[in-house]
Amino acid sequence: MLKSKTFLKKTRAGGVMKIVREHYLRDDIGCGAPGCAACGGAHEGPVLEPQPLDPASSLCPWPHYLLPDTNVLLHQIDVLEDPAIRNVIVLQTVLQEVRNRSAPVYKRIRDVTNNQEKHFYTFTNEHHRETYVEQEQGENANDRNDRAIRVAAKWYNEHLKKMSAENHLQVIFITNDKKNKEKAIEEGIPAFTCEEYVKSLTANPELIDRLACLSEEGNEIESGRIIFSEHLPLSKLQQGIKSGTYLQGTFRASRENYLEATVWVHGDDEENKEIILQGLKHLNRAVHEDIVAVELLPKNQWVAPSSVVLHDEGQNEDDLEKEEERERILKTAVNEKMLKPTGRVVGIIKRNWRPYCGMLSKSDIKESRRHLFTPADKRIPRIRIETRQASTLEGRRIIVAIDGWPRNSRYPNGHFVKNLGEVGDKETETEVLLLEHDVPHQPFSQAVLSFLPKMPWSITEKDMKNREDLRHLCVCSVDPPGCTDIDDALHCRELENGNLEVGVHIADVSHFIRPGNALDQESARRGTTVYLCEKRIDMVPELLSSNLCSLRCNVDRLAFSCIWEMNHNAEILKVRFTKSAINSKASLTYAEAQMRIDSTAMNDDITTSLRGLNKLAKILKKRRIEKGALTLSSPEVRFHMDSETHDPIDLQTKELRETNSMVEEFMLLANISVAKKIHEEFSEHALLRKHPAPPPSNYEILVKAAKSKNLEIKTDTAKSLADSLDRADSPTFPYLNTLLRILATRCMMQAVYFCSGMDNDFHHYGLASPIYTHFTSPIRRYADIIVHRLLAVAIGADCTYPELTDKHKLADLCKNLNFRHKMAQYAQRASVAFHTQLFFKSKGIVSEEAYILFVRKNAIVVLIPKYGLEGTVFFEEKDKPKPRLIYDDEIPSLKIEDTVFHIFDKVKVKIMLDSSNLQHQKIRMSLVEPQIPGISIPVDTPNMDINEPERKKKKREK
């Protein structure tokens, strides 16, 4: 049956266009209940259970299916995801509304409907002849959708009666909308609110904790005192932004001070790019990463960023006088030059809440169900939740979601989502750092895995189309020990004309991952493989990453090759790109490759090839450095793990060999050659990578630090920086040059992916290259897959597709890739920090030599070369007399009593694990040498803080 809608639309040119929308209604859409004679098995995909044996409900003791409305799906997704909730009918009307209102919830609900064990069934009610409803005159879209949901619920109950009158099989309508529920009951549909239904499941009391608390009236603080001003409605905010009264920006909370935040204003206005907010009332319930509207305060109310560290540790929510006192501390007398544009939040344009990891701060009131949850991320406010399982959750990492933040509540309200495990447990902490850095790490879904090639796999004739057979070449790979995702392999051989042929062969991942399918979408979402200390979160499924795409030795593999003809002076005479088939003759570690190069006894083909590559690499590196490429330094750490417990037993800085540099040189050369080629072919939509030059102010600390050691660092160009770093040597202090390079690394900007059609500046500062991209690691970086696709189209080896040549889509993709890469870096650092803590937990207290990297007003930041470990030594401690501190920003230096500290000074520090705050265990450093009375501690002082939580507990028990 066909329904059609006709309406007239005015075109831009002023004409009138008639539009006819056709809507097909069908009789053959199944209800999802197996064994239904009327539907005759017309359903596809996961279906409902014939006899739902769900947890008994005291409200509805007979078998039933659930049919939730849109708001229940949007707000109570945590309840619906619980294994106890099964047999749910998701209407098309509901799904469409959810899709329009929240992409993350839509994805979660799709995942639940694809899970066979949950028995969620999607019913296409908008195309079923008996459940389709047309919008009536004077009826808004929302009311029409509510009516469509009730019609479907009623139809289901009548339809199921025909199927099993004796079974009492019912469909229960779940809605939190009072009017909708009343109308449903009037129409004879069994209906309950989500809360009523969940509370009726007596066998699953833990489900109550997962309910989102939505009615703000019931969650007021008893005092009912209004703390915050009202948020303006969206329409007013948009008007205000248009007229310039308000500014729109991203709210960034401070890690150091819970009463301060900044708003990064959207748009190109240079004048008020960053606005400071100070004080609870001005922050007005905004949460980190929300999009907010701010109003600028008059200039006489502007403030300077505070240098005070304030963490919210109060238990008493009503202690607002204390908050006001703390706010006054922030407003210290400052120089007028320090004042920054200051504002207040007037409304929220878009909430960017996510589930937060953290710990429960159990209420001191006995039998209380209300507790405060402290997130691990210090930028997130504490959240009030109601739970009956507080005693079980104490000392565990949990996940909580925010539901809302009423005007009369000091903290937002939320609900418990999941118990992750015990604090300090390795699995739990790894899960926390993945969640906190938004690293997608769920197992690959069946939909994604269905696009993998069937095993056993081998190269077919079809695969060899547009591909060169290079299996005869003496190709080998060089990687870190234990590497299973081998992206790249190399070869070098002498040609008859006396020149050298050098090839870089990269895994042809884009052959297996085709544009637009589920595997491609998931790889694009993940963006990168994340390497933690003991775990690898793959971007592509293991079958590809460690097997079919990995260029292992003695197996045939598909590759994308970049082949140069060079003379013996490493000058490129010709370059060509081709898809190929290779067979690697050896998978070597850096140490094995180095040993072959150095060994006089070995002269086989592989070794000869490696020697040729190494010789050329040295020339390429020298030439690159002459152009101004930077060789910076960062103290990288490697853990040695106990093979049984997998705890770190030793920790050392990574050793770099010549072969590391050899591989790196050819990877850089391949990336530059490919970047030139794809930009020649696609000037508007090449995916490139740039590294912006840092603003001069970034270098201030480096220049001052060098000056304090009577050295001059020039920073006007990358070349002058590289040269002055090479000259900055001290015969009496050999480690100084490494320290300067580590400090120079801190001055750099972040390298980013971008689309060539959206930017004019392509230069890569660190590599001193006018153009650059990523081509050599497609197993672990999605950017390289796109570059492979562009290159394949450029050489006629593959066909294009619309998204590949859409610069706006590419720019969006780059944005996600840049975010994922940044988060992967942070997650890797967090993993190293956690394993360092485990190492010092088992090692106890140690004293080591360290060098000062930065001096602060009340502390020094030091680097311990032996462990590549950085930490802060504080000179002001709670409950101890304050020492005399004089900070000089110009030199920079810090005078403590009569001792002066400069950057790069050598000190001795004691390292220990401080567990006084279970949630934020940290490595604590204290000064041992030079000795300052009242500050330094003798080497053999026992550590009093290690078991602090135990002591606190005992006190409470007394």
Side-chain angles (χ1 to χ4, degrees):
M1 180 181 162
L2 182 67
K3 293 251 177 193
S4 63
K5 256 187 201 169
T6 308
F7 54 93
L8 302 173
K9 187 182 173 188
K10 200 173 179 183
T11 64
R12 276 184 178 177
V16 173
M17 187 162 66
K18 184 180 180 181
I19 291 178
V20 178
R21 286 252 168 93
E22 292 182 338
H23 190 89
Y24 290 88
L25 298 180
R26 295 164 50 176
D27 297 319
D28 59 350
I29 295 170
C31 67
C36 172
C39 296
H43 8 263
E44 290 173 16
V47 290
L48 303 159
E49 287 179 294
Q51 276 300 307
L53 301 168
D54 288 339
S57 159
S58 55
L59 289 172
C60 184
W62 44 89
H64 56 270
Y65 301 135
L66 301 179
L67 191 149
D69 72 358
T70 310
N71 283 324
V72 169
L73 230 63
L74 279 169
H75 301 300
Q76 306 292 357
I77 180 75
D78 288 321
V79 172
L80 295 170
E81 282 178 334
D82 193 280
I85 302 290
R86 306 205 322 262
N87 295 298
V88 175
I89 297 159
V90 182
L91 297 180
Q92 180 190 3
T93 312
V94 170
L95 209 51
Q96 282 170 344
E97 276 197 280
V98 169
R99 189 180 192 167
N100 292 335
R101 285 169 60 183
S102 170
V105 174
Y106 178 72
K107 185 184 182 304
R108 286 168 73 180
I109 207 69
R110 293 302 309 185
D111 290 345
V112 175
T113 47
N114 288 332
N115 179 350
Q116 306 273 357
E117 290 166 16
K118 290 282 284 174
H119 298 284
F120 272 49
Y121 180 66
T122 311
F123 178 61
T124 324
N125 64 312
E126 295 288 356
H127 289 279
H128 193 290
R129 191 200 293 264
E130 292 177 42
T131 57
Y132 172 71
V133 300
E134 288 202 39
Q135 196 165 342
E136 292 171 355
Q137 217 168 348
E139 185 179 42
N140 66 29
N142 205 23
D143 290 344
R144 180 258 165 214
N145 287 347
D146 284 348
R147 190 161 56 86
I149 296 167
R150 290 197 305 276
V151 165
K154 193 168 186 179
W155 174 84
Y156 252 108
N157 276 316
E158 287 166 2
H159 180 79
L160 292 176
K161 256 183 210 159
K162 294 176 201 165
M163 179 179 130
S164 59
E166 69 285 350
N167 270 1
H168 290 298
L169 198 53
Q170 268 197 339
V171 166
I172 294 178
F173 178 40
I174 305 287
T175 178
N176 289 331
D177 182 329
K178 240 186 200 165
K179 281 184 187 167
N180 207 4
K181 184 187 164 193
E182 284 165 11
K183 282 182 186 171
I185 292 167
E186 274 170 32
E187 291 167 20
I189 304 163
F192 303 110
T193 67
C194 194
E195 194 171 339
E196 286 168 346
Y197 181 75
V198 166
K199 284 183 175 172
S200 78
L201 302 175
T202 45
N204 297 80
E206 76 286 348
L207 262 181
I208 300 170
D209 285 355
R210 300 187 75 165
L211 276 170
C213 49
L214 296 169
S215 57
E216 295 195 346
E217 308 82 52
N219 292 311
E220 291 165 1
I221 305 172
E222 280 61 29
S223 70
R225 192 171 148 194
I226 300 288
I227 304 169
F228 300 103
S229 55
E230 205 169 346
H231 286 152
L232 297 178
L234 199 55
S235 54
K236 275 196 178 165
L237 296 178
Q238 284 165 339
Q239 277 172 1
I241 289 163
K242 221 172 184 177
S243 67
T245 319
Y246 306 137
L247 296 165
Q248 175 178 326
T250 306
F251 181 89
R252 300 268 164 84
S254 159
R255 265 197 184 88
E256 303 299 322
N257 186 340
Y258 75 102
L259 293 175
E260 187 169 279
T262 48
V263 170
W264 287 81
V265 178
H266 302 168
D268 303 322
D269 179 19
E270 283 303 311
E271 195 186 350
N272 296 325
K273 198 72 196 145
E274 199 181 323
I275 294 170
I276 286 189
L277 313 174
Q278 259 184 20
L280 275 185
K281 292 186 172 71
H282 288 168
L283 301 180
N284 197 3
R285 298 172 286 155
V287 177
H288 184 64
E289 291 293 346
D290 282 351
I291 308 293
V292 297
V294 288
E295 178 182 48
L296 270 180
L297 296 175
K299 279 201 173 176
N300 61 358
Q301 291 180 36
W302 284 14
V303 296
S306 81
S307 51
V308 186
V309 175
L310 277 183
H311 291 151
D312 180 12
E313 284 158 359
Q315 263 289 2
N316 187 356
E317 304 180 14
D318 288 340
D319 215 349
L320 290 168
E321 283 71 24
K322 203 167 186 182
E323 302 284 6
E324 283 157 16
E325 187 189 314
R326 286 184 143 197
E327 285 176 25
R328 280 196 290 278
I329 298 171
L330 301 184
K331 295 175 174 50
T332 45
V334 284
N335 183 335
E336 265 197 28
K337 282 181 193 164
M338 306 276 283
L339 297 178
K340 292 267 171 76
T342 308
R344 67 184 188 96
V345 171
V346 290
I348 309 289
I349 291 161
K350 183 173 180 273
R351 287 288 193 192
N352 270 327
W353 294 340
R354 59 179 175 84
Y356 300 104
C357 299
M359 290 178 72
L360 199 66
S361 308
K362 200 171 162 218
S363 170
D364 292 338
I365 305 162
K366 225 179 175 188
E367 303 301 314
S368 172
R369 285 183 184 173
R370 283 187 174 186
H371 307 275
L372 278 177
F373 161 83
T374 308
D377 186 339
K378 289 183 178 174
R379 295 168 301 191
I380 307 299
R382 297 161 97 187
I383 302 162
R384 194 182 327 103
I385 66 167
E386 284 199 29
T387 175
R388 288 153 184 74
Q389 33 180 345
S391 42
T392 18
L393 296 179
E394 219 183 350
R396 298 182 81 76
R397 293 273 191 188
I398 63 173
I399 297 180
V400 162
I402 299 181
D403 299 323
W405 195 338
R407 289 174 60 197
N408 53 5
S409 169
R410 167 67 184 81
Y411 296 110
N413 293 326
H415 65 272
F416 166 77
V417 175
K418 192 179 177 188
N419 179 350
L420 291 173
E422 196 149 341
V423 171
D425 172 70
K426 207 180 303 177
E427 290 296 311
T428 306
E429 295 301 333
T430 302
E431 178 75 3
V432 167
L433 75 88
L434 290 171
L435 288 166
E436 280 300 293
H437 294 97
D438 199 4
V439 174
H441 60 287
Q442 299 73 19
F444 289 98
S445 69
Q446 273 315 114
V448 169
L449 298 174
S450 67
F451 285 98
L452 292 175
K454 304 287 172 275
M455 296 301 284
W457 175 88
S458 61
I459 298 177
T460 63
E461 231 173 278
K462 190 184 166 197
D463 294 334
M464 290 306 292
K465 197 182 164 206
N466 296 328
R467 200 178 280 279
E468 261 185 66
D469 193 339
L470 303 178
R471 284 176 279 199
H472 60 285
L473 289 178
C474 184
V475 170
C476 68
S477 64
V478 185
D479 289 282
C483 175
T484 59
D485 50 345
I486 303 170
D487 283 293
D488 51 87
L490 300 151
H491 89 271
C492 174
R493 61 173 183 169
E494 197 157 331
L495 298 171
E496 286 173 4
N497 61 9
N499 290 329
L500 296 170
E501 178 187 84
V502 175
V504 164
H505 310 277
I506 304 299
D508 188 3
V509 182
S510 63
H511 173 84
F512 296 97
I513 300 183
R514 302 310 295 163
N517 68 23
L519 175 56
D520 182 46
Q521 286 171 359
E522 182 60 19
S523 309
R525 186 174 80 91
R526 293 183 177 220
T528 177
T529 292
V530 180
Y531 295 91
L532 305 179
C533 290
E534 275 192 278
K535 197 174 182 174
R536 191 177 84 199
I537 316 292
D538 280 328
M539 179 184 83
V540 298
E542 196 178 8
L543 179 67
L544 295 182
S545 67
S546 295
N547 186 350
L548 302 186
C549 290
S550 184
L551 305 180
R552 306 191 303 194
C553 60
N554 303 321
V555 285
D556 291 350
R557 288 290 176 258
L558 300 178
F560 210 146
S561 302
C562 172
I563 300 168
W564 303 274
E565 187 178 325
M566 294 182 175
N567 60 23
H568 286 265
N569 200 22
E571 285 157 346
I572 297 168
L573 309 171
K574 279 184 203 156
V575 61
R576 69 188 180 90
F577 307 97
T578 176
K579 288 223 170 190
S580 59
I582 64 163
N583 185 309
S584 170
K585 304 296 180 273
S587 298
L588 307 172
T589 65
Y590 290 119
E592 286 166 351
Q594 193 65 54
M595 198 181 71
R596 277 175 177 262
I597 290 168
D598 297 340
S599 162
T600 48
M602 298 185 85
N603 287 306
D604 56 285
D605 288 352
I606 293 168
T607 309
T608 311
S609 175
L610 286 169
R611 285 187 187 133
L613 289 165
N614 196 34
K615 193 176 151 203
L616 291 169
K618 284 178 181 173
I619 303 168
L620 287 168
K621 185 172 185 176
K622 186 167 176 272
R623 199 173 293 149
R624 214 165 45 77
I625 288 168
E626 278 166 10
K627 274 191 193 164
L630 298 172
T631 42
L632 300 177
S633 185
S634 66
E636 283 205 57
V637 178
R638 180 170 230 119
F639 290 95
H640 290 276
M641 300 294 182
D642 182 305
S643 55
E644 206 174 317
T645 63
H646 294 286
D647 283 338
I649 44 175
D650 194 12
L651 197 159
Q652 66 181 61
T653 45
K654 287 184 188 172
E655 188 186 338
L656 292 179
R657 295 183 170 82
E658 247 182 32
T659 41
N660 291 70
S661 180
M662 174 188 85
V663 173
E664 186 189 5
E665 283 310 313
F666 286 108
M667 296 307 117
L668 293 176
L669 191 61
N671 286 335
I672 292 167
S673 300
V674 170
K676 286 176 182 166
K677 178 71 179 172
I678 61 173
H679 185 246
E680 261 169 41
E681 289 290 327
F682 308 106
S683 59
E684 284 292 292
H685 45 259
L687 190 154
L688 302 175
R689 188 165 174 82
K690 69 171 180 175
H691 182 215
S697 59
N698 279 29
Y699 285 127
E700 270 177 21
I701 187 76
L702 176 69
V703 173
K704 283 178 182 175
K707 197 176 172 186
S708 71
K709 292 282 176 259
N710 299 320
L711 294 169
E712 188 188 13
I713 296 285
K714 289 196 167 119
T715 61
D716 40 346
T717 64
K719 174 91 177 109
S720 58
L721 174 64
D723 290 346
S724 49
L725 280 171
D726 286 343
R727 286 195 300 270
D729 251 340
S730 164
T732 55
F733 186 1
Y735 196 65
L736 176 66
N737 193 267
T738 308
L739 286 169
L740 280 167
R741 290 181 195 276
I742 288 170
L743 208 51
T745 309
R746 307 291 165 91
C747 304
M748 294 300 144
M749 306 289 282
Q750 191 83 34
V752 289
Y753 296 112
F754 68 101
C755 170
S756 59
M758 308 289 274
D759 212 318
N760 316 325
D761 173 28
F762 294 5
H763 192 75
H764 196 294
Y765 180 81
L767 297 171
S769 174
I771 192 165
Y772 191 66
T773 193
H774 272 164
F775 163 76
T776 55
S777 294
I779 296 177
R780 59 188 177 88
R781 290 189 305 233
Y782 188 76
D784 304 51
I785 293 179
I786 296 291
V787 169
H788 276 226
R789 288 175 184 168
L790 287 164
L791 185 62
V793 175
I795 63 167
D798 207 341
C799 48
T800 184
Y801 58 99
E803 284 79 12
L804 194 64
T805 53
D806 180 333
K807 63 181 183 182
H808 296 286
K809 290 253 170 72
L810 263 180
D812 287 344
L813 179 72
C814 288
K815 196 175 168 187
N816 178 53
L817 294 179
N818 290 330
F819 170 71
R820 291 286 179 217
H821 274 261
K822 188 168 76 176
M823 285 301 149
Q825 266 182 326
Y826 290 164
Q828 283 154 6
R829 282 180 207 163
S831 178
V832 169
F834 174 63
H835 278 78
T836 308
Q837 285 173 17
L838 286 181
F839 172 70
F840 283 108
K841 192 175 187 174
S842 60
K843 195 150 174 77
I845 305 164
V846 293
S847 293
E848 290 294 345
E849 283 183 351
Y851 293 99
I852 298 176
L853 274 185
F854 302 103
V855 290
R856 302 272 185 249
K857 283 182 184 171
N858 61 348
I860 53 173
V861 179
V862 298
L863 174 77
I864 297 160
K866 181 175 175 183
Y867 299 126
L869 180 66
E870 202 177 299
T872 308
V873 179
F874 287 100
F875 296 120
E876 286 181 338
E877 286 191 49
K878 267 186 197 167
D879 315 322
K880 282 194 180 175
K882 285 192 175 178
R884 200 171 71 246
L885 300 176
I886 303 167
Y887 174 69
D888 183 341
D889 188 28
E890 278 311 301
I891 301 176
S893 69
L894 178 66
K895 188 175 183 183
I896 304 166
E897 301 298 340
D898 298 318
T899 310
V900 182
F901 291 99
H902 296 95
I903 294 184
F904 302 149
D905 282 359
K906 193 175 181 179
V907 294
K908 193 167 193 180
V909 295
K910 188 173 88 167
I911 314 162
M912 57 195 165
L913 181 68
D914 176 2
S915 309
S916 57
N917 179 339
L918 263 185
Q919 167 119 289
H920 296 287
Q921 294 192 29
K922 56 180 184 281
I923 300 290
R924 190 151 148 210
M925 297 189 183
S926 322
L927 191 68
V928 176
E929 285 170 19
Q931 288 188 354
I932 306 170
I935 300 287
S936 304
I937 49 171
V939 182
D940 49 4
T941 310
N943 177 23
M944 295 306 291
D945 285 311
I946 282 182
N947 298 318
E948 188 78 16
E950 304 303 319
R951 278 221 323 268
K952 279 186 183 168
K953 258 186 202 163
K954 279 177 191 149
K955 255 187 204 171
R956 272 211 299 272
E957 282 160 15
K958 280 176 198 169

